[in-house]
Amino acid sequence: MADLSSLLNSDDSQTHPLLEKHIGTLDETIERYIGSFGWAQLLQAIVVSFAWVFDAQQTFISVFTDAEPTWHCIDPNAYSYCNSTIITNSCKLPRNAWTWNEPMQTSTVSEWDLSCLGPAIAGLPTSSFFSGCLLGGLVLATLADSSLGRKNLLVISCLMMSLSAFLTAFSPNIWIYSILRFITGFGRATIGTCALVLSTEIVGKSRRDKVGIIGFICFTLGFLSLPAMAYFT
């Protein structure tokens, strides 16, 4: 029988020194062809990461759109009840005895009178949004590395999120609004991961951590823009 010990004990993991010199590591190959870092890579990273601004806005916009405004009594006969500690919310008063302090279109709660329908109905838009995020993360996660690619998936996700978010302004009731919020959450589920990978994979490893912070800065700017827009509108 032939002696196979030499074949079994051979180290196949070792690469020929000459071949290793030409191949190098993946990071070295990337830096060899596109460079470690430059203005073109910085511009692409900023443009790609800017999608995080709209992602943050749609994630936290429910703090303002679904908030419950304050109210006051308009019926003189109900003033004593309004000042009573027994009346903790407006649901214990007749609907014609009180009104909102702000215009009805200030939030979904005041526009569709959701405050007296229970927390399940009032919180349906927010629950629908994060349910869409969960389902979108499961469904769209594999498409970035398979058929669509990260760039195409990022474009599709941004378009889906933007279109559904725009249509929410024309929602006639809480049910249509919640469905559109679900679609918005479904579309934005992979924006963060796609933008982060696209912005960092084009730079050298020495600048990768610093470029990755750009996305989180854009996310913070998107979050901070909401109070400013709420203040002026």
Side-chain angles (χ1 to χ4, degrees):
M1 180 179 295
D3 187 10
L4 301 178
S5 59
S6 60
L7 296 177
L8 296 175
N9 294 330
S10 62
D11 188 6
D12 296 333
S13 62
Q14 292 182 354
T15 307
H16 193 276
L18 183 60
L19 184 61
E20 184 178 4
K21 178 181 179 180
H22 288 284
I23 296 178
T25 63
L26 179 60
D27 290 327
E28 292 173 353
T29 304
I30 294 176
E31 293 180 9
R32 185 183 305 118
Y33 286 98
I34 67 174
S36 175
F37 189 73
W39 287 108
Q41 291 143 309
L42 177 61
L43 179 61
Q44 181 174 337
I46 293 176
V47 172
V48 171
S49 300
F50 198 74
W52 285 49
V53 174
F54 309 107
D55 182 16
Q57 289 176 344
Q58 292 305 315
T59 302
F60 295 101
I61 197 172
S62 60
V63 175
F64 301 94
T65 58
D66 302 338
E68 183 174 355
T70 54
W71 57 277
H72 65 276
C73 285
I74 56 176
D75 186 359
N77 297 326
Y79 284 162
S80 58
Y81 294 99
C82 292
N83 297 327
S84 175
T85 56
I86 301 177
I87 304 299
T88 57
N89 57 67
S90 58
C91 299
K92 298 181 179 180
L93 296 172
R95 185 60 186 88
N96 57 358
W98 62 275
T99 187
W100 303 104
N101 292 346
E102 302 292 338
M104 292 184 61
Q105 293 79 12
T106 300
S107 74
T108 58
V109 175
S110 58
E111 183 173 0
W112 295 315
D113 274 338
L114 304 180
S115 58
C116 298
L117 298 181
I121 301 299
L124 184 60
T126 303
S127 301
S128 300
F129 174 79
F130 287 107
S131 297
C133 293
L134 177 61
L135 184 60
L138 295 174
V139 175
L140 301 179
T142 57
L143 298 180
D145 295 319
S146 57
S147 57
L148 289 179
R150 295 186 183 93
K151 183 172 67 173
N152 293 332
L153 182 59
L154 179 62
V155 173
I156 294 174
S157 297
C158 288
L159 289 175
M160 185 186 305
M161 180 186 67
S162 301
L163 181 60
S164 57
F166 173 76
L167 292 177
T168 55
F170 306 97
S171 302
N173 51 58
I174 185 63
W175 310 110
I176 301 298
Y177 180 77
S178 299
I179 292 174
L180 291 173
R181 288 297 292 166
F182 177 86
I183 299 175
T184 302
F186 185 88
R188 58 90 30 203
T190 55
I191 287 180
T193 54
C194 289
L196 180 62
V197 174
L198 283 174
S199 61
T200 56
E201 68 181 0
I202 59 174
V203 301
K205 59 181 179 180
S206 60
R207 301 293 182 90
R208 204 165 288 163
D209 55 342
K210 299 178 179 63
V211 172
I213 298 177
I214 297 177
F216 295 97
I217 294 176
C218 291
F219 190 88
T220 304
L221 292 176
F223 170 72
L224 294 178
S225 66
L226 290 175
M229 289 187 290
Y231 176 79
F232 288 107
T233 57

